[in-house]
Amino acid sequence: MAARGGAGCAGADWLPPRAPGGPVVRTVEMHAGGEPLRVVLPGGLPGLEPEPGLSVLALRRRLLASPELDALRRLLMHEPRGHGDMYGALLVRGPEEEEGAAGALFVHCQGASSMCGHAVLCLARLALDAGLVPPPPAPAHDVPVALRCPCGTVLAHAAWDGRRSASRVRFRSVAAFAAATDLTVDVPGYGKVVIDIAYGGAFYAFLSAEKLGLDVCSSKLRDLVDAASAVTEAAKAQFNVRHPVIEDMSFLYGTILTDGKDAFSEEPTSNICVFADAQVDRSPTGSGVTARIALQYHKGLIQLGQTRTFRSSTTGSLFTGKALEETKSGDHKAVIVEVSGESFYTGTSTFTLEENDPLKYGFLLK
């Protein structure tokens, strides 16, 4: 027998010393466009089990209101297990009447979002590969995967070769719309600037970085983050966003700075998304692409079926988006947007804590 503490004891099921009765949280690690996604599979967090009649939106409310669940969110997102720009998804099983539709809660370092496109690109693959939704009996190029998100059900499509999913995924958004255009806000340190606000599962402010004296592709990241954060705070203070149907969606999630190339072109257009508490999306931002397509369609800059390519100014990763059809969201004219991109697995993790660790639920350096 190997000596206690020796290499021979560290088998596949071995866990380090931990708090008695403390959490053991297993995750699947993924990314889309460089933006990380730490996924907790169904049943992985106590308190998030589905109940009859309890929607994903209601589970999001529970997550935000529960100190115990919030501590687990911080454990997974914050340092030393995560970092200031970490992102995650908590998967929940659907009720019997929605069997085959996985539920997803989206978490970050500040709290919980209403929608996350890069996460959907990852979760559609994971749902198939992990058997959360029934895979087809034979290879198929276009397998539908329904994901119940706080903003509504999103339908993703992935390819299946009979053993595993392919990296490219696309999804149909919830109703996306322009909430305000040519809105003048006074941004401390930058003066009066004109912004647009649009919804793609979450609300974003949009403007060209040039209006702030910056270049979205060449300016220092810190300068872009500071400017975008200032716009977000000014817009929150001077304009109240309201979703016409779902009151919980009525908050401004972040600001997306662009290269100003909004008219239709075959060439990619670049942007950077700064959301929540100054987090930077490494991807082109799936819900941001949705909202930006809705905004361009509202302004008559693109037509139905025209595909645009969006580039992250941080990693160079690419998503595509196109307006599929017109619809309504309350009194708003809206569109359904299709977003496409690639997602990849990066590993698995198992997280524990020791009860005498003063930093067991994490910390953030800003």
Side-chain angles (χ1 to χ4, degrees):
M1 179 180 292
R4 184 176 178 84
C9 73
D13 296 326
W14 181 85
L15 287 174
R18 63 192 190 280
V24 177
V25 183
R26 292 181 168 87
T27 66
V28 177
E29 308 291 319
M30 303 184 74
H31 84 90
E35 179 69 356
L37 189 71
R38 175 163 289 161
V39 187
V40 180
L41 294 174
L45 286 183
L48 286 179
E49 297 83 0
E51 300 172 12
L54 194 64
S55 67
V56 176
L57 187 60
L59 284 174
R60 178 180 179 270
R61 295 184 193 124
R62 176 184 290 181
L63 173 67
L64 292 173
S66 167
E68 293 78 17
L69 289 174
D70 190 63
L72 292 174
R73 174 193 63 81
R74 288 184 281 112
L75 179 149
L76 292 169
M77 295 293 102
H78 290 190
E79 298 181 58
R81 301 170 186 86
H83 53 79
D85 293 302
M86 193 63 196
Y87 207 95
L90 315 177
L91 288 176
V92 294
R93 292 186 181 89
E96 290 183 5
E97 65 270 18
E98 292 189 1
E99 196 65 35
L105 294 169
F106 307 116
V107 295
H108 46 72
C109 287
Q110 187 182 45
S113 179
S114 54
M115 170 59 186
C116 179
H118 97 275
V120 168
L121 297 175
C122 293
L123 295 178
R125 295 193 65 195
L126 181 59
L128 279 173
D129 295 328
L132 302 180
V133 298
H141 293 294
D142 197 27
V143 183
V145 179
L147 292 167
R148 297 179 297 112
C149 306
C151 64
T153 298
V154 173
L155 186 62
H157 295 264
W160 174 257
D161 69 3
R163 298 178 302 107
R164 57 174 293 181
S165 62
S167 61
R168 181 156 294 279
V169 177
R170 59 187 174 88
F171 69 85
R172 289 170 59 99
S173 73
V174 295
F177 56 87
T181 57
D182 301 324
L183 181 70
T184 299
V185 294
D186 191 358
V187 183
Y190 299 90
K192 294 185 183 298
V193 295
V194 177
I195 66 172
D196 300 318
I197 296 178
Y199 177 81
F203 283 99
Y204 296 94
F206 291 87
L207 73 161
S208 169
E210 187 178 11
K211 293 182 179 179
L212 302 168
L214 299 169
D215 184 287
V216 75
C217 293
S218 63
S219 291
K220 292 181 179 179
L221 180 61
R222 185 73 261 165
D223 294 339
L224 293 168
V225 172
D226 289 345
S229 299
V231 170
T232 298
E233 293 309 309
K236 284 180 179 178
Q238 298 168 49
F239 181 78
N240 292 324
V241 298
R242 283 290 177 265
H243 192 279
V245 180
I246 311 172
E247 181 60 30
D248 292 57
M249 304 297 102
S250 299
F251 64 96
L252 187 65
Y253 188 40
T255 291
I256 295 179
L257 302 180
T258 77
D259 57 10
K261 298 175 182 177
D262 290 320
F264 176 73
S265 171
E266 301 288 349
E267 296 298 318
T269 174
S270 297
N271 58 228
I272 182 174
C273 174
V274 181
F275 65 95
D277 185 17
Q279 286 191 223
V280 179
D281 196 331
R282 274 69 172 158
S283 80
T285 308
S287 55
V289 166
T290 302
R292 197 172 171 201
I293 285 284
L295 187 61
Q296 292 173 355
Y297 184 77
H298 174 81
K299 291 187 172 186
L301 299 174
I302 60 170
Q303 305 301 316
L304 292 179
Q306 288 185 321
T307 299
R308 293 220 64 190
T309 301
F310 297 84
R311 178 192 289 122
S312 165
S313 69
T314 57
T315 63
S317 58
L318 303 174
F319 289 172
T320 64
K322 63 181 175 181
L324 294 178
E325 61 187 63
E326 293 183 345
T327 187
K328 297 277 285 186
S329 181
D331 293 330
H332 285 280
K333 293 181 179 180
V335 288
I336 301 298
V337 177
E338 182 180 274
V339 176
S340 175
E342 288 191 286
S343 60
F344 300 92
Y345 294 99
T346 58
T348 59
S349 300
T350 301
F351 295 103
T352 61
L353 60 81
E354 292 190 274
E355 58 188 355
N356 63 333
D357 179 358
L359 301 175
K360 58 180 172 286
Y361 289 115
F363 61 92
L364 286 178
L365 296 182
K366 289 289 185 182

